[in-house]
Amino acid sequence: SSTRQDGADRVGSPLFRLNVARRLTPRSTAFVYATHAQVSAGDAIFLDSGLGGRDAGASGYGINPDPFKQDYIGAGYELDNDKLVLALRASIGRERYSQSTVDDRNDHQIDADLTYRFNSMIGFGVFAEYSSESFVNRSNADADESLYGAFVGYAFGPRLMLNVSAMRLDRSGDLGVSSDETRARAMLTYTIVGTGQEPPTTIPRFVR
């Protein structure tokens, strides 16, 4: 891939994307994903959504149109034994910009989701996530963020389902500005089943 900004030299870099999964048992899977690329902001967000659904701080990309090199590696483990669903994930990433090197950044993230299905109609889950970002050429912009919460899901039938969740977000940074946010959400889902298709029979996984 190669990019060129107006008034600047063209920058090129080989790119690759790797996503490897191995089934450890009939009900558990481990996976590794990685990338090296010269990308734009939009590419980075799209890439992240294809690598295990990780969030590599995509909100920060939109304020800087400068292309950058992204190195990204993550790993995870998933267990689903019908009643209990466990997901563990961790990743390390870094961005190196072509021009605005003051925005060069490293980030680390780890999260866990645990869901228990009481039966085909009701389930309960908890989740937690921690992320940290540090800037290579800034001395006062590092930040840490933690998120945790719980949800309950109820299926009125094979097509109509309700998820109710509550979560807490705490953020602190070197600039001395800290914030916290509490969210509550109800999500009602109705599935349209086509001809020859079977309706879902389990509670949907919670989507943050």
Side-chain angles (χ1 to χ4, degrees):
S1 175
S2 64
T3 58
R4 184 179 66 84
Q5 287 186 294
D6 291 341
D9 295 333
R10 181 170 292 279
V11 178
S13 174
L15 62 85
F16 71 85
R17 298 176 182 178
L18 175 70
N19 197 338
V20 178
R22 178 175 176 82
R23 187 173 297 277
L24 303 177
T25 71
R27 298 185 182 276
S28 64
T29 303
F31 54 89
V32 176
Y33 40 89
T35 184
H36 171 76
Q38 175 81 17
V39 294
S40 66
D43 291 333
I45 296 172
F46 173 78
L47 171 65
D48 174 58
S49 67
L51 289 174
R54 310 298 297 116
D55 176 12
S59 60
Y61 297 147
I63 61 175
N64 190 341
D66 186 10
F68 59 90
K69 289 183 179 180
Q70 182 184 55
D71 295 301
Y72 189 66
I73 184 169
Y77 172 81
E78 292 184 354
L79 170 69
D80 187 344
N81 66 0
D82 290 337
K83 283 189 172 295
L84 185 69
V85 181
L86 173 66
L88 303 173
R89 294 175 293 266
S91 66
I92 300 174
R94 70 175 187 174
E95 298 93 45
R96 296 296 183 264
Y97 286 86
S98 301
Q99 303 293 326
S100 55
T101 56
V102 69
D103 290 327
D104 288 355
R105 186 179 75 108
N106 300 323
D107 71 84
H108 306 78
Q109 188 165 335
I110 183 170
D111 67 81
D113 292 83
L114 180 65
T115 302
Y116 184 80
R117 301 185 182 107
F118 293 96
N119 49 49
S120 63
M121 295 182 62
I122 189 168
F124 173 79
V126 293
F127 53 89
E129 178 180 304
Y130 173 79
S131 60
S132 174
E133 64 177 359
S134 60
F135 289 84
V136 178
N137 299 313
R138 297 183 190 179
S139 59
N140 61 351
D142 297 352
D144 297 315
E145 187 173 281
S146 59
L147 180 148
Y148 50 92
F151 77 97
V152 61
Y154 182 80
F156 296 94
R159 299 187 183 187
L160 184 62
M161 302 183 185
L162 174 68
N163 271 323
V164 178
S165 64
M167 67 183 76
R168 168 86 173 193
L169 176 66
D170 294 308
R171 182 177 177 86
S172 61
D174 286 350
L175 292 176
V177 178
S178 300
S179 64
D180 61 77
E181 178 182 358
T182 302
R183 305 175 189 172
R185 178 168 61 183
M187 183 169 60
L188 190 65
T189 304
Y190 181 78
T191 302
I192 299 175
V193 180
T195 303
Q197 295 180 333
E198 295 293 330
T201 57
T202 58
I203 296 171
R205 295 286 296 278
F206 176 60
V207 179
R208 292 187 229 163

